[in-house]
Amino acid sequence: MNITHIEHIGIAVKNLEESIAYYENVLGFKCYAVEEVKEQKVKTAFFMVGQTKLELLESTDPEGPIGKFLEKKGEGVHHLAFAAQNLEGALSEMDEKGVTLIDKTPRKGAEGLSIAFLHPKSTHGVLTELCEDKNK
Ligand code: ZN
């Protein structure tokens, strides 16, 4: 397992525009990208905080993962994403160690990253994403 840093923190929000205004006007960060990820039924907004990003997630469909999360838990921290090298290898290592994988193979996430989620029931309650930037 080769995790290098926290790539981003995913935060579920009800309204992307209002949330961006908070992060920009109150915290002073600059939103550098807004992107819809259709497969995930979300619209995302990104901020850079040091080398870690914040990923705001607004649901585009109440039946999508963020829609359901908002319904159940309301706004708040949704997942933690680690930057991993050799994502396929990391996933099979996780699998061997008994971690429940939501994604058995990497799929495409925002910003062109390869991503995979680990189930919070085997990560002590934290929905965990591993991501790899293959363009680097
Ligand atoms: Zn994420």
Side-chain angles (χ1 to χ4, degrees):
M1 182 65 49
N2 196 347
I3 289 172
T4 53
H5 59 283
I6 295 176
E7 216 281 334
H8 64 270
I9 298 165
I11 301 166
V13 300
K14 284 185 190 149
N15 182 305
L16 202 58
E17 210 173 308
E18 286 174 15
S19 308
I20 289 172
Y22 164 75
Y23 283 93
E24 291 196 327
N25 302 334
V26 180
L27 296 180
F29 305 144
K30 180 90 194 86
C31 176
Y32 69 88
V34 172
E35 184 186 342
E36 185 167 350
V37 184
K38 287 224 164 69
E39 310 86 84
Q40 287 297 298
K41 300 176 164 59
V42 290
K43 226 166 107 181
T44 62
F46 284 94
F47 301 83
M48 205 75 214
V49 186
Q51 72 163 354
T52 305
K53 296 163 189 163
L54 297 181
E55 174 187 44
L56 303 185
L57 302 145
E58 179 194 71
S59 176
T60 56
D61 180 343
E63 291 306 308
I66 296 300
K68 285 184 187 158
F69 178 88
L70 286 168
E71 172 72 30
K72 254 209 301 212
K73 297 189 172 164
E75 291 185 303
V77 173
H78 178 258
H79 66 272
L80 191 57
F82 295 115
Q85 288 167 350
N86 180 13
L87 186 51
E88 285 89 351
L91 288 175
S92 53
E93 191 184 328
M94 289 277 182
D95 197 30
E96 276 163 29
K97 288 179 176 169
V99 175
T100 304
L101 307 176
I102 294 175
D103 301 297
K104 298 223 185 294
T105 53
R107 59 187 162 86
K108 196 178 158 291
E111 298 197 300
L113 299 178
S114 293
I115 66 162
F117 280 94
L118 313 176
H119 200 286
K121 77 180 179 197
S122 53
T123 62
H124 299 270
V126 179
L127 176 59
T128 302
E129 176 182 350
L130 298 178
C131 42
E132 182 177 25
D133 187 351
K134 297 213 166 172
N135 303 312
K136 269 185 190 162

